[in-house]
């Protein structure tokens, strides 16, 4: 009987084995091809497509589930009432008469006053802590998150970045947070009110903090809405800030607040149970975040550079800007950044720019990332409008 010769064993590794044995060389080999390609098959400037579903939590004022690649986060917004009398050292804000529709002022002056109001609204929200985000990396969302441990530094950092962007983007209208009590008109011969008068949320035009309560029967500010924004990652595979911020935007646009009124007999704020009178939040902007990383490879030193150690240390090679990194790429990039843009305003606006580590990103690279961020904004806008 003839013996068949045994096949020659292969000397090559599968791609996933190569990536585990030498991740840096594997990423370099894929990016250095023509055309450049990432391990996932994407172009360096190609982000992952986001998906969004709203009203996912039945007991929240607003909620959303956002998925970007294999990164998935659930966001729920819970609205609570904060009484003015419970705020320590509360200082009422000077209410100015709304003149935005006054024909006697020009468009430029009207625009300037709107910007000033949004800036003052953001400052008051920050001072009263009316927006309270909290982010949690659930056990099992990634190999780095083990059960029983305290909140990770990444979770705390992302929470603070979300809070900062909520205020600096001037996203919400402070008029939606105020709860007013309109006193009924009374005269010496009129009966006492039953204390169940409804309240308007918007600030009244005739509210004047310099006028005492004994001299006017105008509206009285009784409470504020406070929004607790909780985010839970159920899967984490790179760029957590983009997914978390997208879920916050979707959940805030999904928030529905009930009509509130002051009960003078109970000395408290009550909410109308009628679901037909709920109202959405007035989300004034649509800032979209796009994260990127820089993968750099040092150039091989020449013979002259080998003899000069100082020149050898400064040798530079190729670099690639990777948009929307996954977990594998994120671990190999020493320089990362995030651009937040809002193309919904005139000429577009860079709301925030963050960068850490390295010096590879200059003005040309920033311009390139701004172009990609503008396209990313359109993609997120379409996704959020469909899910709304």
């Amino acid at each position: 009987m003839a013996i068949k010769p045994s096949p020659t064993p292969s000397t090559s590794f599968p791609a996933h084995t190569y990536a585990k044995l030498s991740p840096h060389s594997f990423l370099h080999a894929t990016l250095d091809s023509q055309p450049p390609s990432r391990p996932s098959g994407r172009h360096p400037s190609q982000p992952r497509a986001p998906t969004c579903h709203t009203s996912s939590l039945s007991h929240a004022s607003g909620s959303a589930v956002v998925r970007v690649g294999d990164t998935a986060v659930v966001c729920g917004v819970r609205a609570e009432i904060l009484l003015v009398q419970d705020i320590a050292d509360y200082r009422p804000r000077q209410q100015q008469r709304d003149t935005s529709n006054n024909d006697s002022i020009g468009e430029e002056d009207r625009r300037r006053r709107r910007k000033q109001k949004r800036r003052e609204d953001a400052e008051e929200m920050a001072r009263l802590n009316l927006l309270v985000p909290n982010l949690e990396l659930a056990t099992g969302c990634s190999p780095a998150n083990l059960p029983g441990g305290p909140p990770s530094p990444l979770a705390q950092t992302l929470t603070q970045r979300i809070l900062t962007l909520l205020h600096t983007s001037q996203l919400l209208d402070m008029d939606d947070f105020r709860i007013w009590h309109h006193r009924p008109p009374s005269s010496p011969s009129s009966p006492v009110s039953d204390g169940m008068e409804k309240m308007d949320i918007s600030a009244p035009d005739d509210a004047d903090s310099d006028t005492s309560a004994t001299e006017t029967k105008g509206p009285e500010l009784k409470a504020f809405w406070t929004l607790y924004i909780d985010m839970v990652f159920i899967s984490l595979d790179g760029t957590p800030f983009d997914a978390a911020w997208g879920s916050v935007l979707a959940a805030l646009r999904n928030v529905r607040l009930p009509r509130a009124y002051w009960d003078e007999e109970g000395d408290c704020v009550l909410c109308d149970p009628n679901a037909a009178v709920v109202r959405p939040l007035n989300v004034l902007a649509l800032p979209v975040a796009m994260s990127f990383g820089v993968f750099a490879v040092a150039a091989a030193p020449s013979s002259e550079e080998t003899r000069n150690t100082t020149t050898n240390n400064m040798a530079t090679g190729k670099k690639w800007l990777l948009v929307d990194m996954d977990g594998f790429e994120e671990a190999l990039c020493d320089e990362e950044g995030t651009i937040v843009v809002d193309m919904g305003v005139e000429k577009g606006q860079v709301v925030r720019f963050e960068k850490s580590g390295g010096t590879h990103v200059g003005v040309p690279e920033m311009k390139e990332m701004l172009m990609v961020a503008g396209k990313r904004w359109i993609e997120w806008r379409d996704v959020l409008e469909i899910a709304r």
Side-chain angles (χ1 to χ4, degrees):
M1 182 177 65
I3 300 176
K4 295 181 179 179
S6 59
T8 305
S10 175
T11 58
S12 61
F13 293 109
H16 65 277
T17 304
Y18 185 16
K20 292 180 180 179
L21 293 176
S22 183
H24 193 277
S25 300
F26 176 72
L27 182 58
H28 180 206
T30 58
L31 291 174
D32 205 23
S33 60
Q34 292 298 330
S37 177
R38 297 154 76 169
S40 59
R42 294 183 289 150
H43 187 270
S45 61
Q46 179 184 358
R48 296 171 291 184
T51 60
C52 177
H53 300 278
T54 56
S55 302
S56 304
L57 304 177
S58 57
H59 298 290
S61 303
S63 61
V65 177
V66 167
R67 189 179 187 95
V68 182
D70 288 335
T71 298
V73 57
V74 181
C75 179
V77 180
R78 187 179 72 256
E80 301 287 346
I81 292 176
L82 174 64
L83 296 178
V84 171
Q85 62 190 21
D86 294 336
I87 302 176
D89 193 24
Y90 173 71
R91 299 185 304 274
R93 173 179 164 186
Q94 180 75 27
Q95 297 293 333
Q96 299 181 356
R97 186 179 298 273
D98 185 13
T99 57
S100 58
N101 296 324
N102 193 344
D103 296 335
S104 61
I105 36 183
E107 182 63 28
E108 185 65 28
D109 191 30
R110 191 178 295 111
R111 187 183 301 109
R112 180 183 58 82
R113 295 189 182 188
R114 284 197 297 263
K115 290 183 178 179
Q116 180 181 0
K117 180 182 180 302
R118 290 182 59 178
R119 183 172 61 253
E120 293 175 352
D121 284 354
E123 293 174 355
E124 187 174 9
M125 287 184 196
R127 178 167 54 87
L128 299 177
N129 294 321
L130 300 182
L131 301 175
V132 187
N134 181 64
L135 187 142
E136 178 184 351
L137 299 175
T139 301
C141 69
S142 71
N145 295 96
L146 302 177
S152 65
L154 176 59
Q156 299 179 50
T157 301
L158 290 174
T159 299
Q160 186 59 41
R161 291 175 64 189
I162 292 290
L163 176 61
T164 302
L165 187 53
L166 281 170
H167 294 315
T168 56
S169 62
Q170 302 174 4
L171 189 63
L172 301 174
D173 191 348
M174 190 63 194
D175 292 341
D176 292 338
F177 290 78
R178 298 189 185 99
I179 301 177
W180 297 89
H181 171 49
H182 289 265
R183 297 182 180 276
S186 60
S187 61
S189 58
S190 62
V192 180
S193 171
D194 60 357
M196 295 295 290
E197 293 295 326
K198 305 295 182 188
M199 302 179 347
D200 287 340
I201 302 300
S202 58
D205 292 341
D206 57 349
D208 190 353
S209 60
D210 295 334
T211 305
S212 63
T214 58
E215 296 175 351
T216 181
K217 296 298 183 181
E220 180 183 0
L221 183 61
K222 286 294 187 179
F224 296 94
W225 285 108
T226 303
L227 300 183
Y228 292 87
I229 307 170
D230 297 314
M231 295 153 282
V232 178
F233 275 84
I234 56 179
S235 178
L236 178 57
D237 185 30
T239 56
F241 183 77
D242 296 8
W245 179 250
S247 69
V248 170
L249 284 177
L252 289 176
R253 291 159 65 97
N254 184 245
V255 166
R256 298 296 183 268
L257 296 178
R259 184 170 60 180
Y261 58 91
W262 180 258
D263 182 10
E264 292 186 346
E265 293 182 357
D267 196 29
C268 62
V269 176
L270 300 179
C271 295
D272 195 331
N274 186 7
V277 295
V278 297
R279 60 181 182 84
L281 282 178
N282 185 20
V283 180
L284 303 175
L286 187 62
V288 170
M290 188 201 72
S291 298
F292 63 92
V294 180
F295 178 75
V297 179
S302 61
S303 58
E304 181 67 26
E305 291 172 342
T306 304
R307 292 190 295 269
N308 189 343
T309 57
T310 57
T311 307
N312 183 35
N313 292 336
M314 298 182 64
T316 58
K318 293 184 178 181
K319 63 181 178 182
W320 293 268
L321 272 67
L322 307 180
V323 173
D324 187 20
M325 301 170 291
D326 56 29
F328 175 77
E329 298 165 341
E330 205 169 46
L332 300 174
C333 294
D334 296 328
E335 185 174 356
E336 299 179 5
T338 300
I339 300 179
V340 183
V341 298
D342 186 1
M343 307 304 294
V345 298
E346 185 178 359
K347 298 181 180 180
Q349 178 185 7
V350 178
V351 180
R352 191 172 182 84
F353 180 80
E354 303 173 355
K355 195 185 77 68
S356 61
T359 58
H360 292 94
V361 177
V363 175
E365 290 79 11
M366 291 178 60
K367 290 182 178 180
E368 178 184 352
M369 289 297 98
L370 283 175
M371 295 293 294
V372 180
K375 299 177 181 178
R376 186 63 164 172
W377 182 89
I378 297 176
E379 189 175 9
W380 269 105
R381 180 201 60 184
D382 296 341
V383 170
L384 293 176
E385 286 296 330
I386 294 175
R388 193 169 185 174

